[in-house]
Amino acid sequence: MIEYINKIKEISERLLKEGIVDIIIGFRKGTMPMMNEPCFAKSPEDIKNLVWDSNCGINLANYLTNYSADRKEKIGIIAKGCDSRNIVNHIIENKIKRDQLFIIGVPCKGMVDRRKIVSIFEREIKEVTEEKNKIIVKSDGFEKILKKAEVLQENCAICIHRNPVVYDELVADLVEEQKDVDRYEDVRRIEAMPVEKKYKLFDDLLSACIRCYACRNACPLCYCPTCFVDESRPQWVGKSINPVDIRTFHFLRAFHCAGRCTDCGACESACPMDIKVRTFTKKLEKDCFELYGWEAGMSLDERPPLDTYKFDYPD
Amino acid sequence: MNLGYTMKVVRIDKKNWVGDIENLSRSYRLFGPVKDDNFHRFEELDKDKLPDLDYFNTRLSPKSIVYPQSETMFEYCLDERKKDHHVMKEASKDYSQRAVIGIRPCDAAAFLLVKRNFDTPECKDPYWVKAYEATTFVGLACNNPHSACFCTTAGCGPFHEDGLDILLIDAGNHYFAKIITSKGENLLKAAGWDTKVDAGKEIESMKQNAETGITSFIATNKLKDKITADLFDAPFWEDMAFACINCGTCTYACPTCWCFDIQDEVHGCSGTRMRNWDSCMYPLFTLHGSGYNPRNTGMQRVRQRFMHKLKYYVDKYDNGIQCVGCGRCVSLCPVNIDIRKICNTMNSYEK
Ligand code: SF4
Ligand code: SF4
Ligand code: SF4
Ligand code: SF4
């Protein structure tokens, strides 16, 4: 996947030069191992800094809402499968117009979970590089080669839409989609639990939450000008670290994302406390799939089940 | 009180460590790092629980030991059958003597920075001051600093003593304990540590070794002379702030961030007034009652955080930057906003 970058740079440079877009949204290399920083590029100088590798898990569609709101610029955006589906969401929710965007599509091969790598390596990691299907982790005098497939983000391991859904140009041939993936094994396991056990599970899951809202803020769906937890007139939810308020936030947020979540994993990757917040959104994703045959962000021409009504919908 | 020249060093045999901690727990509430999955966190230690000193640093800073994320200030009750109903009362707290075992020197130094705000001649924050005064800080020198630590250029260092009452130095089979203050002296007695040694040279060489292990640096020398408005209006903020999602993780994790918000909560006929950590990264932080928000964009909020730490604080207290170089914000930021990069950019900015 690292080989994509030359093509990304070539396309970006051309788009800027020909005035097709005013700005490119992509990633530049971070200062920490396994971290890239979302950035914009407006000049050939900026383009030089663009990178693409297995550490681009942050969903760039999130940056469109900061940009499109009051700007009329034409935006070039680099989009892997999940980003493209969130762009579709933005378009059908009227957050942005399709023709304001030039989508540089990236057939994705999955992003790595830096926490998994940290826990396998057990020492301070100084450098991480990648080659084809391998991740090479280095510390002073130590090296470990990991199979990329074993350290993928959980959502990437079960992703069945790695290819972008909408795009104006691709950086490489489409990749083969993963088949025979059981997307909901974990949800079914929780569904089968008795109530008390579920309650305990959620309690434990959220016990470390510091209510920073990184999960929400990393999510392209969460673009409300004032989130219900921040509303102060009237105030709906308390602001301390009371467990009921914390649960309220997570459950309501998940419901607000129902039928919209693309399982891009940005929430989980952003959480500083390693909380598996997808536990909640995935349940609703599964319900939407089972009840309405709906997968979010797959088409510009169909309304989502929760903002429309069809006679054959179940109650 | 700093003991200055009388500073002494004792040796603590690790074989006796369990018993020593048990001794301490008789007269102190003990706090220390404990392991939790991939990370450590500071926690009050139950009887028989030992601080895990085989650690790098905790994910969140230990500031919560003195300054909890949510803290009740007052309580009231309107139930006429209850004593003191309709009276707003101060919430009762445990300010008995406590000790933090194994705090890193940067985090201890951070308490001194925060003290400049919470404990001044004009204004004393009662909760913070009482909790701080009740606490004895037993530090653990960093023999092996991490690559994101930049303490030596942020006003402290891996063997830094300011803010500590005792500094422990791990020397294999034993610790050296350097007694820094009279609070430290008292703790020493309670633990029964009395094997005085002359380890000055050995400690000095370990210290130098640790300092050479620091590989990350910031430049702050020109911040003070910069014109505030120039930095404020500098063109680099848009680029630097672009990735920031305004989650406030950096401020919650930071040992030197001190902002809070006061909230009232009512439950039936009783209620509390509490304070919760707040963050300049949040839009609500500056939202006026009128609906106007002077820091309405993410960029303005990012700029505020760094201008506060690296310029306003520098100008106001003339005592360095409001950062001790622990590196937490750098490692925890989900989009890799790096204070080192921003500090260096501010320091070298010419209009
Ligand atoms: S969810 Fe799919 S498209 Fe998105 S990063 Fe993972 S593998 Fe790529
Ligand atoms: S990012 Fe993590 S810690 Fe922050 S609010 Fe979300 S779940 Fe809680
Ligand atoms: S700098 Fe990073 S940690 Fe801080 S608010 Fe921005 S995104 Fe969150
Ligand atoms: S600003 Fe960052 S590096 Fe400095 S003390 Fe705070 S968390 Fe640590």
Side-chain angles (χ1 to χ4, degrees), chain B residues 119-165:
Chain B
D119 184 5
T120 69
E122 305 81 49
C123 171
K124 294 198 188 305
D125 180 287
Y127 317 104
W128 191 91
V129 170
K130 276 188 215 155
Y132 179 75
E133 284 175 352
T135 310
T136 302
F137 295 95
V138 181
L140 179 65
C142 307
N143 291 339
N144 302 302
H146 264 202
S147 56
C149 300
F150 55 101
C151 51
T152 50
T153 42
C156 53
F159 277 59
H160 197 72
E161 294 165 13
D162 294 351
L164 286 174
D165 301 300

Side-chain angles (χ1 to χ4, degrees), chain B residues 153-260:
Chain B
T153 42
C156 53
F159 277 59
H160 197 72
E161 294 165 13
D162 294 351
L164 286 174
D165 301 300
I166 292 182
L167 176 66
L168 294 179
I169 298 134
D170 189 337
N173 295 329
H174 56 270
Y175 293 109
F176 290 123
K178 202 166 177 185
I179 316 306
I180 301 160
T181 66
S182 49
K183 259 189 184 173
E185 189 82 51
N186 294 338
L187 185 130
L188 190 77
K189 282 190 204 120
W193 292 326
D194 52 11
T195 322
K196 265 208 215 176
V197 285
D198 180 11
K201 277 217 189 86
E202 200 175 334
I203 295 176
E204 189 51 37
S205 97
M206 289 177 82
K207 175 178 172 184
Q208 272 169 22
N209 202 19
E211 282 173 359
T212 42
I214 300 277
T215 50
S216 172
F217 312 99
I218 52 171
T220 57
N221 57 325
K222 297 192 200 144
L223 292 169
K224 194 158 167 37
D225 296 329
K226 298 276 173 225
I227 295 171
T228 304
D230 289 352
L231 283 178
F232 190 88
D233 293 326
F236 56 72
W237 292 115
E238 190 193 356
D239 174 66
M240 295 278 187
F242 177 78
C244 175
I245 57 173
N246 273 199
C247 64
T249 295
C250 46
T251 57
Y252 280 8
C254 177
T256 75
C257 278
W258 57 48
C259 292
F260 62 81

Side-chain angles (χ1 to χ4, degrees), chain B residues 40-98:
Chain B
H40 279 81
R41 65 189 151 87
F42 274 99
E43 183 176 280
E44 180 156 9
L45 302 170
D46 296 332
K47 291 267 175 247
D48 326 315
K49 188 145 190 189
L50 289 175
D52 179 4
L53 297 191
D54 183 18
Y55 87 125
F56 158 62
N57 206 352
T58 48
R59 171 157 44 181
L60 301 179
S61 87
K63 72 177 168 189
S64 56
I65 295 172
V66 167
Y67 174 42
Q69 180 167 4
S70 292
E71 178 169 28
T72 309
M73 303 155 76
F74 303 105
E75 306 172 313
Y76 66 82
C77 173
L78 303 181
D79 183 343
E80 301 197 347
R81 289 165 302 182
K82 299 247 164 77
K83 197 170 153 260
D84 290 340
H85 59 84
H86 288 82
V87 181
M88 185 96 144
K89 287 190 308 182
E90 197 156 318
S92 69
K93 305 258 176 71
D94 182 356
Y95 290 122
S96 60
Q97 122 171 307
R98 52 178 107 164

Side-chain angles (χ1 to χ4, degrees), chain A residues 152-211:
Chain A
L152 282 179
Q153 290 187 177
E154 276 172 23
N155 64 307
C156 295
I158 54 163
C159 172
I160 49 172
H161 299 294
R162 294 181 154 187
N163 290 308
V165 174
V166 282
Y167 50 83
D168 295 294
E169 192 166 342
L170 282 176
V171 303
D173 293 338
L174 295 176
V175 291
E176 200 180 323
E177 295 290 2
Q178 306 194 100
K179 296 213 178 63
D180 302 322
V181 180
D182 181 0
R183 283 191 54 74
Y184 302 117
E185 186 272 328
D186 50 347
V187 185
R188 283 197 307 271
R189 202 161 11 95
I190 299 173
E191 283 171 344
M193 287 179 185
V195 173
E196 307 75 48
K197 217 170 150 200
K198 256 186 231 169
Y199 199 87
K200 166 105 176 43
L201 177 94
F202 295 153
D203 244 13
D204 291 346
L205 191 71
L206 297 177
S207 64
C209 176
I210 53 171
R211 290 188 86 178

